[in-house]
Amino acid sequence: MENNKRKLTKWLYWFLFAVAVILVYKTLDNFSAIGNWIKNFLDVLMPFIVGLLIAYLLYIPCRKIESIYKKSKKLKFIKKRARGLSILTVYIIVLIILIIAINYLLPIVSSSIIDLVSNIQVYYNSLITNIDNLPDDSILKNEIVLDVIESIKNIDLKQFVNMDKLAEYAKGVINVAGKIFDFFVAIIVSVYLLLERKQILEFIKKLGKAIFKERTYNNFGKYFDRTNNIFFNFLAGQLLDGIVIAIITSIAMSIMGVKYAVLLGVMIGVFNLIPYFGAIIAVILAALITLLTGGFWQALVMVIVVTILQQIDANIINPKILGNSLKISPLLVIFAVSLGGAYFGFWGMFLSVPVIAVLKLLITDFIEYKNKEKSIEDAQKE
C-alpha cells in the first residue's frame, strides 16, 4: 500500500511537471498573442487607472475643503452634504485652471512649436553662417570645434524634421475623439472613488483582517500609510514644483527677450518632474533652441539665469514643497532614475524615486528589526 502511494505521488509529480512544461512552451509559443491580450486588457483598465490617479491627486484638497464645510454650523444643508460639495468645488477649481491654460497657454505654446518647426532650417543656416564668419583666432575655430561644425553641416535636417510625418503626428494628437469616452469614464470613476472612499477603505481593512494575521495586518497598515504619504507628497509636490519653475523661467526668459520663452519655460517645467536629470536635459535643449534663435551670448545668459533659478528651486522651493518625505541620497536617486528610464521610459524616471524611497524604507526597517533580534539573543546568552 505504501509502495503504491509512493508510485502515485511520483507519477503525479511527473504529470504536473509535464503540464507545467507544456504551459511554459505554449506561453512562449503564443507570446505575441498573450502580449496583445494583456495590452487590450490594460487598454480597458486604463480609464479606471486614470480615474484612480485623479482621485488620488485630488483626495487631499477634497478632504481639506470637506473639513471646512463640516465646520459650517449655521448652514445645515452644507454640513450634511460636505463631501459632495467639496468634490464639486475641487472639480470646478480644476476646470477653471484647465480653461485658463487652454485659452491662454495652449495657443502660445502651439504657435511657438509651429513657428519653430517651420523656421528651424533658417535658424540652422544662420547659425552655421555666423560660425563661419567668426575671426580665425576665435576659441570656436579650434580644430576640434571645426570638426564638429563640419559634421553638423553634413546633417540633413529634412530627415529629422519631416513635415509629412509631423503633420501625421499632429493629426494623431488632434484626433482625440476616440479618447473622449475614456476621459469621461475616468472622471466618473474618480468622482465615485472620492465619494465612496470611506466605504472602500473599510472594505479593504475588513478584507485584510480576514486574510492576514493580526501582526501582518498591522504591519501592512503601517507601511501602507507611510508609502501613501511618500507617493502623494512626491507626486503632488513635483507637479506643483514643475508649475512654479515653468512660470518663473518663462517670466525670466521673456524679460531677457528669448524667443519662444513660454514654450521653453513649459518644457523646463515638464522636464523638471524628472529628478536630477530632468533639469540638465531641459537646460541643454533650451540652450540649443536659444542658440539657434538668439545667438551664442543670449544662449549663455539664458543658461546662467535658468541654472540660478533651478538652484533656487532645488535648494529652497522644492524642499519647502516636498518637505522631508524622501530621505534618500542623491546617488540612490540617480541610480533609480537611470534604471526606471531604461526600462519604463518617462514614467519610469518620474516614479522611480518614490519607489526606491519605499524600498529603502522597507530594507531599513528589516535591518533594524534583525539587529534588534540579534541584540536580544546576545543579551539572553549572556
Side-chain angles (χ1 to χ4, degrees), residues 35-250:
N36 289 331
W37 182 86
I38 292 169
K39 183 180 178 298
N40 292 333
F41 182 67
L42 288 174
D43 287 340
V44 172
L45 285 181
M46 192 51 65
F48 297 92
I49 296 168
V50 173
L52 179 63
L53 181 61
I54 292 169
Y56 186 71
L57 290 172
L58 298 182
Y59 167 67
I60 297 294
C62 283
R63 192 179 68 181
K64 287 184 177 179
I65 293 172
E66 184 182 347
S67 66
I68 293 168
Y69 284 152
K70 280 183 177 178
K71 290 175 184 177
S72 178
K73 294 178 181 179
K74 293 181 180 179
L75 299 171
K76 290 182 180 180
F77 175 84
I78 293 175
K79 192 174 182 180
K80 284 182 179 180
R81 294 164 179 82
R83 178 159 297 177
L85 288 171
S86 67
I87 294 167
L88 181 64
T89 304
V90 169
Y91 273 93
I92 289 171
I93 292 168
V94 171
L95 185 62
I96 291 168
I97 292 168
L98 286 174
I99 289 169
I100 292 168
I102 290 167
N103 283 339
Y104 296 101
L105 184 63
L106 191 61
I108 296 170
V109 172
S110 60
S111 63
S112 296
I113 292 170
I114 292 165
D115 188 69
L116 176 61
V117 170
S118 302
N119 294 297
I120 194 165
Q121 187 70 54
V122 177
Y123 295 138
Y124 172 78
N125 292 336
S126 176
L127 176 65
I128 297 299
T129 303
N130 289 335
I131 291 171
D132 285 338
N133 292 333
L134 287 170
D136 292 334
D137 59 346
S138 173
I139 192 170
L140 294 174
K141 283 216 167 182
N142 65 58
E143 191 175 343
I144 297 170
V145 176
L146 287 173
D147 289 340
V148 173
I149 293 167
E150 196 61 37
S151 301
I152 293 170
K153 284 181 180 180
N154 295 327
I155 294 173
D156 183 13
L157 283 178
K158 290 180 181 178
Q159 64 180 331
F160 294 100
V161 187
N162 189 314
M163 296 307 294
D164 293 332
K165 286 185 178 180
L166 284 171
E168 287 178 16
Y169 297 149
K171 286 177 184 177
V173 172
I174 294 166
N175 187 20
V176 294
K179 298 293 181 183
I180 289 175
F181 176 75
D182 289 349
F183 173 75
F184 279 110
V185 170
I187 295 295
I188 292 165
V189 168
S190 66
V191 170
Y192 274 107
L193 285 171
L194 289 169
L195 280 170
E196 300 177 4
R197 59 181 183 264
K198 188 177 179 181
Q199 295 91 319
I200 292 167
L201 288 172
E202 283 178 357
F203 172 77
I204 292 169
K205 286 177 181 178
K206 286 178 181 177
L207 183 65
K209 283 182 179 178
I211 294 172
F212 303 110
K213 293 179 181 178
E214 188 177 351
R215 183 181 173 185
T216 307
Y217 170 78
N218 291 334
N219 283 331
F220 178 80
K222 180 182 74 174
Y223 285 112
F224 177 82
D225 289 339
R226 291 169 76 179
T227 301
N228 180 56
N229 287 333
I230 288 171
F231 268 87
F232 184 83
N233 288 337
F234 178 79
L235 291 174
Q238 284 295 97
L239 287 172
L240 182 59
D241 184 61
I243 292 168
V244 170
I245 199 73
I247 291 168
I248 61 174
T249 51
S250 295

Side-chain angles (χ1 to χ4, degrees), residues 249 253 258-269 285-286 289-290:
T249 51
M253 285 190 283
V258 174
K259 200 166 185 179
Y260 314 124
V262 176
L263 172 63
L264 297 179
V266 170
M267 182 190 71
I268 290 169
L285 290 173
I289 293 170
T290 309

